[in-house]
Amino acid sequence: MMSPFTVILVLTLLGNIIDTASGFSLLPPAVLSSPSSSHSHTSSHRHKRLYDVNHNLIERVTSDDDGDEGEADITSLPITTDTDDCKMIFLVSDGTGSSVKASVQKSLGQFDVNASVQTRLFTFVRGEEIAASIIKKAKERSAMLITTIRVRALREKVLRMCELSGVHAVDLIGPTLDGLESHLQQLPENVPTMFSPNKVRVLSNAYYRRIDALQFTLKADDGQAPWLLSEADVILVGVSRSGKTPLSVVLSQSTGLKVANIPLVLECPPPKELLDEQTIDSNRVFCLTLSPSELKKIRATRLESRLGVKAMEEKMEDKNSLVMSVGNGGSKSNYADRPYILKDLKNAFDLKERYGWTQIDVTGRAVEDTASQISELISERFDSEFETRSEKSDGVSISLH
């Protein structure tokens, strides 16, 4: 049975697949328009409120009833709880914002920023006035603005307004589109991906391939179905709490690979299907390892959260007792003890050496980085196999990176 963590992770990733493929988002658009609850008898204006996706009010705009947004007038201040020493980054997209958000999150991972940086995402920004309102607020907050606006005219206006306003702006998508236009000798569609006429073609191959791979991965999680190992593109093995399940799900969701994972337990031999060298190619098996100190921290945290071991230990120490009950028998668990961890890792290492598996050190690494490394290794080792798969995908290549 899958743990609650696994269920939550899978549901989140399924939502990401659907969001990326269909273009729909559970986040609200940047502008929520509605008539004001109290209309003036002497004015023919209507009121709009500009929000970010976290429902923070950016400003209230009034415009004529005919829908012309060129006469905007800011009549209120933003509601915010940000501190003065916090660096702000405004993310502006004309679509769901998934691209700019993912790119900035990965880039911020290269800096030691902790809570000193806050990002605010504005989605479905497709009008010059709305963009000007966001830029004005960015100037007031000394915020940096990063954009993935695909429409050239609006993108150029946004960058020009930022330049005139003194707002530091970074265009993530413009240089890429310009480079592709020159290389492909084609004009870009200048529309958000969700409206691209090629979107249906993507759904017909890579999207469904990832769904199938994810379903396989869930069936073969945590050694539940060892008879499926021969069908797996990738087999992950490793000691308990080495991150096999999260990596399996991310790898299958992002690359479309069928991933199985098997726990290596000191007291139990691996399933015979894993050790059958006639059906299992060792080049597909990756043994996850990590430093003993890191593994000890992870296991100790796991014990505290699941069994309340920490509180139980403190209670026993107060009574000058050396016994800690963590289950039947009342004996102290050695799950997070360093000697046991060293034996556990040594057992996994010996199996890796005996059967020629590839070792991957995941100490301090993001799951996405490890998934990318494994994907590249699989692509190099089985290049012809994946070329054949691409040829059967109606002319649309499936990326493994």
Side-chain angles (χ1 to χ4, degrees):
M1 179 179 294
M2 292 183 293
S3 66
F5 170 79
T6 304
V7 174
I8 294 172
L9 179 62
V10 170
L11 291 176
T12 301
L13 289 171
L14 278 174
N16 289 342
I17 297 175
I18 297 171
D19 179 52
T20 302
S22 65
F24 291 106
S25 175
L26 298 179
L27 300 177
V31 174
L32 301 179
S33 302
S34 62
S36 175
S37 57
S38 59
H39 293 277
S40 171
H41 295 291
T42 59
S43 173
S44 62
H45 287 64
R46 63 179 179 173
H47 299 281
K48 294 183 178 180
R49 290 185 177 185
L50 176 61
Y51 293 86
D52 67 7
V53 296
N54 295 317
H55 302 282
N56 295 312
L57 177 64
I58 297 302
E59 62 196 9
R60 186 180 295 111
V61 178
T62 62
S63 62
D64 294 332
D65 286 334
D66 60 5
D68 181 10
E69 296 182 358
E71 302 295 332
D73 176 42
I74 299 172
T75 59
S76 69
L77 295 176
I79 300 172
T80 181
T81 57
D82 301 324
T83 57
D84 293 336
D85 60 347
C86 180
K87 298 289 186 180
M88 288 295 303
I89 303 176
F90 282 14
L91 313 180
V92 181
S93 170
D94 54 1
T96 62
S98 58
S99 298
V100 64
K101 185 176 180 180
S103 178
V104 171
Q105 284 179 337
K106 288 187 176 296
S107 298
L108 286 176
Q110 301 299 312
F111 299 88
D112 183 18
V113 293
N114 295 325
S116 62
V117 172
Q118 289 190 7
T119 60
R120 187 164 289 176
L121 177 63
F122 302 90
T123 59
F124 300 99
V125 178
R126 298 173 190 163
E128 183 177 345
E129 182 195 358
I130 299 171
S133 301
I134 297 172
I135 293 170
K136 181 178 184 296
K137 189 52 57 183
K139 179 176 176 61
E140 294 175 0
R141 300 299 307 281
S142 299
M144 177 185 183
L145 188 144
I146 302 179
T147 178
T148 53
I149 296 177
R150 295 159 178 81
V151 180
R152 182 189 296 273
L154 179 58
R155 182 172 69 244
E156 292 177 347
K157 288 180 181 178
V158 167
L159 295 176
R160 179 59 176 164
M161 285 189 288
C162 287
E163 181 181 356
L164 295 176
S165 302
V167 174
H168 183 197
V170 175
D171 176 18
L172 290 183
I173 201 168
T176 302
L177 290 176
D178 292 342
L180 289 173
E181 178 182 340
S182 175
H183 182 68
L184 300 176
Q185 295 297 300
Q186 295 181 21
L187 291 176
E189 296 173 347
N190 283 332
V191 295
T193 306
M194 61 187 296
F195 297 116
S196 171
N198 295 322
K199 199 64 181 177
V200 175
R201 292 174 59 194
V202 176
L203 282 175
S204 67
N205 46 71
Y207 168 72
Y208 291 111
R209 175 174 167 76
R210 292 203 306 270
I211 292 294
D212 290 342
L214 191 55
Q215 290 176 339
F216 177 92
T217 298
L218 296 179
K219 292 179 182 178
D221 179 45
D222 202 30
Q224 295 181 97
W227 55 88
L228 292 177
L229 291 179
S230 60
E231 302 176 25
D233 298 316
V234 175
I235 300 173
L236 302 179
V237 299
V239 299
S240 174
R241 315 316 299 175
S242 58
K244 299 181 295 297
T245 294
L247 179 57
S248 297
V249 175
V250 170
L251 191 57
S252 64
Q253 185 269 333
S254 61
T255 65
L257 293 171
K258 294 180 179 179
V259 185
N261 75 79
I262 300 291
L264 300 179
V265 183
L266 183 59
E267 295 81 6
C268 302
K272 63 180 185 301
E273 291 86 352
L274 175 64
L275 308 181
D276 186 354
E277 299 182 52
Q278 300 296 323
T279 58
I280 301 299
D281 188 341
S282 61
N283 286 321
R284 297 186 184 275
V285 185
F286 296 86
C287 182
L288 305 185
T289 189
L290 67 167
S291 69
S293 58
E294 183 71 14
L295 183 57
K296 179 178 174 63
K297 291 178 183 178
I298 296 173
R299 288 187 174 183
T301 301
R302 174 66 172 174
L303 283 174
E304 291 172 11
S305 63
R306 186 171 183 179
L307 303 174
V309 171
K310 185 176 182 180
M312 195 176 296
E313 272 188 317
E314 293 174 352
K315 183 177 180 180
M316 293 300 179
E317 287 175 0
D318 291 340
K319 295 180 180 180
N320 298 319
S321 174
L322 298 178
V323 179
M324 178 182 62
S325 176
V326 291
N328 295 330
S331 60
K332 182 175 180 179
S333 170
N334 61 357
Y335 179 70
D337 289 347
R338 183 175 177 83
Y340 180 83
I341 288 175
L342 292 176
K343 292 180 181 178
D344 214 4
L345 291 172
K346 175 72 164 53
N347 176 62
F349 179 82
D350 290 343
L351 288 170
K352 183 268 300 184
E353 289 290 299
R354 183 184 305 172
Y355 294 99
W357 302 334
T358 302
Q359 180 169 285
I360 302 289
D361 191 341
V362 298
T363 305
R365 295 185 64 180
V367 175
E368 294 82 1
D369 292 339
T370 307
S372 178
Q373 180 187 1
I374 292 176
S375 172
E376 291 175 1
L377 290 173
I378 287 293
S379 181
E380 292 172 1
R381 295 173 180 179
F382 303 96
D383 187 57
S384 59
E385 175 182 336
F386 289 107
E387 283 182 358
T388 302
R389 291 187 182 183
S390 296
E391 290 172 359
K392 295 179 180 180
S393 300
D394 299 329
V396 181
S397 176
I398 296 175
S399 173
L400 297 176
H401 306 285

